[in-house]
């Protein structure tokens, strides 16, 4: 396999993967609001997907102050000198209002002949959920968004929605909550969830912060349209076209797991756009994984390489997330800090590891049956059986990065601009003509 993955995925973690047992609620515990939505929406999603499978034709074209996380125990941290990250390990035993717009929203999404619509599906338009109007069926039988300019390559169907929900509970368990910055529960905050997916994070935040206004945006409308708290708002949006919010609007912006959605240049663009909508001294929190299973066996390494090759084909390099800390600093954020969690893959890591393996299965299936793997389900299952055994024997793990930063205050920005302007001024000198000697 390529050295680009194998040399990285076989590198041992600087931590021992031994931490105290966490006495936490079930990983699968859902908030009242998110559970209610998922329970009542699955029937319509299943109905639409069934119709899409029965009536649409497969299409193989795929267009392509220091902020420290307040819930992590610093006793288990060691500095990773490569990018100033701290390495952590985890092992567990056991009235809809829209803000004033300053940018044109990307709601009229692009479509082409592969877009799934009521004519293709055979269902009346009113019976289809919103996401189905903005989806196309690909060669692997999965549906995806229709925005050609966006490289995001993961599906947007019910199977993927379930994976995203389970992934949310896993991330929440790993970081001991939905956020790792100081937020005032009594303040009328404005909170943004970028790439909200099913909207579960935004739903839980709107419940925890009833005085806040929580907004979620995503390129696929798989978020709830009706069953949600009155302080929770969702909007169809392609972040690469700019966010439909004015400057200095949000107190807290959260973005998670866009590892397969942004090219290196687009990631810089998004950092700038998130800073634009943040209020001065507002917080940004990023959560990412590079998608690599470390300490892999031969079969798991094949999946690693396939995921990298598929991503690179779309102009996305998942390894870019390893430098998010420096990326935020270069983009002008202040008080940037980063933590690196080693997340077990397999039952050797307890409940977290077992759920992490389920998440791995969901992603691996996408790569194995996708545009490069092109495997059928039997071949995919055979590889996953071997990969599971390797992960247990090798104690494999993912790395998950949490990076937090702050938008500079108005005074900080003014001081920086003043320094920049003063350095660009070339000092002038008075040139004196030679004095005329007396006669």
């Amino acid at each position: 396999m390529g050295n680009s993955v194998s040399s990285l995925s076989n590198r041992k973690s600087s931590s021992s993967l031994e931490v105290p047992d966490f006495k936490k609620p079930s990983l699968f515990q859902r908030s009242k609001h998110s559970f209610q939505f998922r329970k009542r929406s699955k029937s319509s999603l299943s109905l639409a997907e069934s119709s899409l499978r029965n009536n649409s034709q497969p299409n193989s074209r795929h267009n392509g102050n220091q902020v420290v996380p307040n819930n992590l125990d610093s006793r288990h941290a060691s500095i990773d000198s490569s990018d100033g990250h701290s390495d952590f390990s985890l092992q567990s035993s056991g009235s809809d209002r829209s803000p004033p717009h300053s940018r044109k929203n990307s709601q009229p999404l692009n479509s082409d002949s592969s877009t799934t619509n009521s004519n293709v599906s055979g269902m009346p338009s009113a019976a289809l959920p919103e996401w189905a109007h903005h989806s196309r069926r690909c060669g692997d039988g999965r549906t995806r968004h229709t925005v050609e300019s966006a490289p995001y390559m993961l599906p947007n169907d019910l199977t993927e929605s379930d994976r995203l929900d389970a992934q949310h509970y896993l991330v929440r368990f790993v970081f001991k909550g939905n956020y790792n910055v100081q937020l005032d529960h009594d303040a009328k905050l404005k909170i943004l969830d970028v790439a909200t997916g099913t909207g579960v994070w935004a739903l839980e935040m709107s419940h925890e912060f009833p005085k806040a206004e929580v907004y979620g945006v995503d390129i696929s409308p798989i978020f709830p349209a009706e069953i949600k708290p009155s302080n929770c708002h969702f909007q169809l949006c392609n972040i690469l076209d700019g966010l439909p919010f004015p400057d200095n609007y949000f107190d807290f912006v959260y973005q998670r797991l866009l590892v397969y959605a942004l090219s290196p240049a687009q990631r810089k663009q998004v950092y700038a756009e998130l800073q634009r909508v943040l209020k001065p001294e507002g917080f940004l929190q990023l959560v990412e994984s590079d998608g690599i299973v470390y300490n892999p066996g031969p079969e798991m390494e094949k999946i690693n390489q396939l995921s990298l090759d598929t991503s690179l084909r779309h102009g996305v390099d998942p390894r870019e997330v390893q430098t998010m800390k420096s990326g935020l600093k270069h983009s002008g954020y202040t008080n940037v800090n980063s933590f690196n969690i080693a997340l077990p893959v397999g039952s050797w890591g307890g409940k977290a590891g077992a759920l992490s393996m389920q998440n791995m299965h969901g992603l691996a299936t996408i790569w194995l049956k996708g545009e490069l793997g092109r495997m059928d389900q039997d071949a995919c299952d055979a590889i996953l059986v071997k990969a599971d055994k390797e992960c247990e024997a090798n104690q494999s793990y993912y790395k998950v990065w949490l990076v937090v930063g702050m938008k500079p205050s108005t005074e900080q920005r003014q001081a920086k601009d003043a320094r920049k302007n003063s350095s660009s001024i070339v000092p002038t000198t008075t040139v004196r003509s030679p004095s005329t000697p007396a006669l």
Side-chain angles (χ1 to χ4, degrees), residues 332-348:
Y333 291 83
T334 62
N335 301 322
V336 180
N337 205 353
S338 174
F339 288 80
N340 183 352
I341 305 297
L343 175 62
V345 178
S347 58
W348 74 269

Side-chain angles (χ1 to χ4, degrees), residues 151-165:
Y152 185 64
M153 65 206 76
L154 300 187
N156 64 358
D157 52 20
L158 178 58
T159 299
E160 179 65 3
S161 295
D162 287 340
R163 188 191 70 82
L164 292 175
D165 278 351

Side-chain angles (χ1 to χ4, degrees), residues 4-5 8-9 11 83 85 151-154 255 257-267 271 287-294 303-325 340 363 367 372 398-401 403:
S4 59
V5 172
L8 180 60
S9 60
R11 187 177 67 182
D83 190 41
H85 296 296
Y152 185 64
M153 65 206 76
L154 300 187
Q255 179 178 289
L257 297 171
L258 262 66
V259 55
Y260 299 116
L262 304 171
S263 69
Q266 289 169 340
R267 192 167 290 275
Y271 290 162
V287 177
E288 290 286 3
S289 171
D290 56 13
I292 297 170
V293 175
Y294 290 78
I303 298 172
N304 278 343
Q305 190 67 47
L306 195 55
S307 112
L308 178 62
D309 291 343
T310 304
S311 301
L312 292 175
R313 188 180 184 187
H314 290 263
V316 174
D317 189 345
R319 297 164 297 187
E320 280 287 315
V321 304
Q322 300 170 10
T323 61
M324 287 189 299
K325 181 178 181 178
N340 183 352
L363 288 171
W367 311 131
L372 294 183
Y398 283 113
K399 282 191 175 182
V400 185
W401 283 265
V403 184

Side-chain angles (χ1 to χ4, degrees), residues 229-247:
S230 60
N231 65 329
C232 189
H233 320 279
F234 295 105
Q235 189 164 348
L236 189 65
C237 171
N238 176 11
I239 190 175
L240 299 179
D241 291 339
L243 291 167
F245 304 104
D247 297 355

